[in-house]
Amino acid sequence: QTPESVAFEVDRVQDIGTYFLVACRRGDVNLKVRMGPEKSIPASGQTVGLRLISDRTCFYRNEELVV
């Protein structure tokens, strides 16, 4: 973790084929993170530090693009 990251707990990891979809939560906030296979993929129950990495980050609510 870094000072810019926020700790989340990994709920579930799905192998989609060309990427992994990692479902995370912190309190009542739920996030899904798309990770390439070249990254170190966390396990369910693991705590990870999440942060925004670029202006290309997309936000969805109820499967609809927000930003």
Side-chain angles (χ1 to χ4, degrees):
Q1 290 191 9
T2 66
E4 302 87 24
S5 65
V6 177
F8 278 79
E9 182 179 336
V10 175
D11 278 338
R12 181 181 47 194
V13 178
Q14 293 176 274
D15 184 348
I16 306 299
T18 57
Y19 63 92
F20 288 85
L21 192 60
V22 181
C24 303
R25 70 179 156 85
R26 178 184 171 108
D28 62 347
V29 175
N30 296 293
L31 297 175
K32 291 183 181 175
V33 179
R34 182 177 170 164
M35 297 181 70
E38 71 281 357
K39 302 292 184 188
S40 176
I41 306 302
S44 294
Q46 186 175 347
T47 299
V48 295
L50 300 180
R51 64 184 174 93
L52 299 178
I53 59 170
S54 77
D55 57 352
R56 297 183 333 178
T57 302
C58 297
F59 294 91
Y60 294 84
R61 179 177 295 138
N62 299 325
E63 308 296 327
E64 291 186 30
L65 182 63
V66 176
V67 177

